[in-house]
Structures are given as C-alpha cells and as structure tokens.
Amino acid sequence: MSAVAELGTAPAAAPARAARRRAEQAGALDRPTVSFELFPPRNPDAAPRLWSTVRELETVEPDFVSVTYGASGHTRQTTRALVRRLLRETSLNPIAHLTCVGTSRDEITTIVEEFLDEGVRSFLALRGDPPAGEPDWRPHPDGVHTAAELVELLRDIEQRRCGRSPAQAVRARVRPLSVAVAAFPRGNHATGGTRAQDVQALLAKQEAGADFAISQVFFDAEAYLGLVAEARDAGVTIPIVPGIIPTTDPARLLRVQELTGVPVPQHLLDLLGAADDAAERHRRGTQAGVDLVNRVLDGGAPGVHVYTFNKHEAALDLLDGADLVGGRRCAVTPPDLTAPDGTPADATTTTPRGNLS
Ligand code: FAD
C-alpha cells in the first residue's frame, strides 16, 4: 500500500465530491464550516507577516478565526490586542481562547469582562497547559480547575451582566455568547488522559454550557470519527469540529508532536521525505491533508478548523484541494439524484453525514 493510500485516500472521495457539487447546483447548499487558528505575533517584527496572512485568509470568508492564549497567560495582552484588531479592522469573527492557568477566578472575570466590553462574543474555554518547565498542572488556589468550570464561569459572568443591565440583556439575545471547548481524538496525550476520560470531560463541558468543540490535531480520520462516535454514545450532542494541520512541513509536524504528544505517522514523514524538492513535498503534503479532510467530511464532520501557524499558503491550498474555498462544497446529503430514467445518478457516492455532528 502506498504511503498516500495509508494516509487515508478514500476511494469514494472523488465521486462523493461530484455528488456534492451536483447537490449544490440543485440548491441544497449547506457548506461545511471553514475556520482558522492564529496566534498573536511573538514580537513586533512578526506582526506585518501575520497581517498579510489575515488578509489572505479573509478572502475565503471563514466562519471564524480563533486566537490562542499562551501558557500562563503570557499573551493575555497580545491575544486581546489581536482579537480587538480583528474585530475592528476585518470582516472576521474572532474567537478568543481563554485558559485557567495561573489565574484566579477574579482575574478571569476581569479578563472576560474586558473582552465582552470590546464586543467579543465568542470564547474557546480551555484549562491550558502547565507553564514551561513545570511538569504538572496545578490550579491557582482561587482559580478554576477544569475547562468545564471555566465554561460555567463564562456563563455566570454573562448572566450577571445581563442581570445588571436590561440593555445588555437585549444585546445578549441579539448576539448570544458562544463558548467552544477542546476535544481530543485519541485522548489528551499532554495530560495522559485516555479517550474515554476525555469523552467524560467533553460531556462535563457540554453540561456546563459549551456550544461546540474543536479537536486536537490528528493524522488519521478514524481517530476523529471514533471520538465522535464514542462521544455520541456517551450523550455528547454538540458539534465537534475537526482540527486539521496542513501536512506539508515535516519540521513543523515534529514540533507539533513535541508540543501535543500526538505522534506523526512515520509513513507521512517518509512520504514527505521522499519528495525531490520543496514543491513536490508541498504537493504531497497537501494531497495527504486533502484526503484526511475528505474522509472526515464524508464521515459527517461539520467543517474543518485549520491550524495555520500564521501562514496562509498551505492552509488555503488544503481548502482549495478539498473544494472548500468559496463555499463550493455541500455538506448535506444531496437531494435525490435519480435520473429521469430511474437510474441512480451516482449510487455509490454519498456518505450521509448522519448524526455525527
Ligand atoms: P480539561 O477539560 O479541564 O481537561 C484536563 C484534564 O482533566 C484532561 O486529562 C481531562 O481528561 C481531565 N478531566 C477534566 N474533566 C474531567 C471529567 N469530568 N472527567 C474525567 N476527566 C476529566 N492551551 C493553551 O495554553 N492555550 C491555547 O490557546 C490552547 N488552545 C487549544 C486549542 C485547541 C483546539 C486544543 C485542542 C487545545 C488547546 N490548548 C491550548 C491545549 C489545552 O489547554 C491542553 O491540552 C490542556 O491540557 C487540556 O485542556 P482542556 O481544555 O481539555 O482541559
């Protein structure tokens, strides 16, 4: 089996895409969501490049962009500045990541109030990782202990604001607070948590008021689809958006492995390593990513969240390869494509989205 095939080339992907295009032409358009993760520029020199990336990403009209929040809240101000600028100067809908690390409940409340005052209505509530050099995660003595508790706190803060001001209560109805959370396809390698534990944590996040989840990176569709199936069995009903990393840069992949503990399959590294030049490596990596995106969408994923690392080329090539740019792809089961003579137009093509999302 070739490396590309091992990475999950779905034999039915091409006809399935054709069926989706026909469905779209027939008017049954419900395109998968497209979104991106950005991080605040690490220094002033990095800002111009980030902004040129932002402008490129804006051209494909993503549903949202999420902005990371560094370990120990080191980027609290830079996250806030980037989110504010995205709100004011672009057409993008930013989601601010928020963590519990090293922060008391009062401090979190202040941070959230500041975001809300600036018009931010979407958060990704996370526990966060321990600060660099600290092996174990320890909650702040007056802080929250889990992402689920952070979701609860966000909901409480919003409720108190609405209680204080009827105007705010109206605004909250017009632009409801949206809270996303993290999910881990093969368990959280960073915390040593199993998938079963993470599914229980996801259920707790949902019960606390989470609206949807975004997954950690993964390299095989079965990891994501298995998580969704297990989560549904456990009673998780919120959508789980797969987090996809463009697989074009081996050094980047190994760095992600180091940071997240999610192992990069050797066959993917071999596939990229066997390329003659950078262009061929990019093509191979993009194709591997497209295959993965096709597999998860065909399995029912509501859309894709692309980890950009503040670069647009690989992210946009990935979306383009998967026919997701410009809203060309249709996520719903196509309408009856039976030809007038009764022959199914493409009987083998469509994997129904089912109840996975
Ligand atoms: P939690 O849900 O609190 O889980 C932490 C641990 O406790 C897990 O092992 C979990 O299994 C266990 N647990 C919690 N509740 C339960 C329960 N009820 N039952 C059983 N077990 C439970 N980190 C940053 O610092 N900044 C970022 O911007 C950032 N962005 C991220 C974006 C995404 C999409 C993802 C997937 C991760 C991101 N992270 C970020 C990393 C994340 O903060 C860490 O992986 C962290 O270790 C776990 O976060 P959590 O929100 O899932 O925490």
Side-chain angles (χ1 to χ4, degrees):
M1 184 187 285
S2 77
V4 171
E6 281 177 51
L7 283 165
T9 308
R17 267 204 304 281
R20 277 191 288 270
R21 284 209 196 94
R22 278 196 298 281
E24 184 183 339
Q25 283 155 12
L29 178 66
D30 179 13
R31 74 173 177 96
T33 61
V34 164
S35 53
F36 301 108
E37 181 182 279
L38 297 170
F39 51 78
R42 298 202 199 287
N43 54 60
D45 292 347
R49 206 186 64 205
L50 168 64
W51 277 92
S52 94
T53 292
V54 165
R55 292 303 175 194
E56 293 287 344
L57 298 179
E58 206 179 1
T59 61
V60 302
E61 299 177 10
D63 293 271
F64 61 88
V65 292
S66 77
V67 179
T68 65
Y69 194 90
S72 335
H74 279 323
T75 62
R76 170 176 166 185
Q77 293 308 334
T78 48
T79 301
R80 195 175 147 200
L82 176 54
V83 168
R84 186 200 294 135
R85 202 169 157 197
L86 289 170
L87 262 183
R88 288 186 184 164
E89 298 179 26
T90 74
S91 58
L92 298 169
N93 178 21
I95 293 187
H97 293 207
L98 202 64
T99 74
C100 324
V101 179
T103 320
S104 70
R105 292 179 76 91
D106 286 350
E107 285 164 336
I108 295 174
T109 302
T110 304
I111 294 165
V112 171
E113 294 268 9
E114 285 169 358
F115 274 123
L116 291 171
D117 286 346
E118 283 166 358
V120 177
R121 301 295 295 161
S122 303
F123 295 91
L124 176 56
L126 302 144
R127 191 197 69 175
D129 290 322
E134 282 186 27
D136 298 323
W137 192 86
R138 282 192 209 91
H140 187 283
D142 302 316
V144 296
H145 295 210
T146 62
E149 286 183 27
L150 183 57
V151 175
E152 216 169 295
L153 180 56
L154 276 159
R155 294 287 176 206
D156 282 353
I157 294 168
E158 172 74 347
Q159 207 178 357
R160 283 202 299 271
R161 283 169 71 91
C162 292
R164 281 201 302 266
S165 154
Q168 180 53 34
V170 173
R171 284 190 198 104
R173 293 245 176 353
V174 178
R175 288 183 66 215
L177 187 74
S178 148
V179 184
V181 289
F184 297 84
R186 291 211 188 271
N188 188 340
H189 293 73
T191 62
T194 62
R195 183 197 272 170
Q197 285 169 325
D198 189 63
V199 164
Q200 286 311 306
L202 190 54
L203 192 57
K205 294 173 197 182
Q206 172 178 288
E207 283 163 1
D211 294 305
F212 68 99
I214 299 176
S215 89
Q216 179 62 287
V217 295
F218 59 92
F219 297 99
D220 59 315
E222 289 65 33
Y224 165 80
L225 298 174
L227 163 72
V228 176
E230 209 171 310
R232 296 293 176 249
D233 283 348
V236 175
T237 55
I238 55 175
I240 303 173
V241 181
I244 304 282
I245 179 176
T247 46
T248 51
D249 178 350
R252 168 81 61 207
L253 294 176
L254 291 173
R255 176 74 181 134
V256 165
Q257 171 175 293
E258 198 183 315
L259 289 172
T260 63
V262 178
V264 182
Q266 189 56 46
H267 59 76
L268 174 56
L269 295 172
D270 291 345
L271 178 80
L272 300 175
D276 289 334
D277 54 32
E280 174 62 9
R281 190 165 58 240
H282 184 86
R283 194 197 63 71
R284 287 174 176 225
T286 301
Q287 186 56 49
V290 167
D291 291 341
L292 183 60
V293 167
N294 280 331
R295 292 283 303 275
V296 294
L297 289 176
D298 287 347
V304 289
H305 186 65
V306 184
Y307 294 104
T308 67
F309 299 93
N310 289 3
K311 294 185 172 174
H312 63 271
E313 292 91 350
L316 294 182
D317 287 350
L318 173 65
L319 295 178
D320 198 24
D323 277 345
L324 285 168
V325 179
R328 293 201 300 272
R329 187 168 184 152
C330 180
V332 294
T333 305
D336 186 1
L337 298 172
T338 308
D341 66 357
T343 315
D346 206 340
T348 61
T349 56
T350 310
T351 310
R353 294 293 173 202
N355 60 358
L356 291 183
S357 56

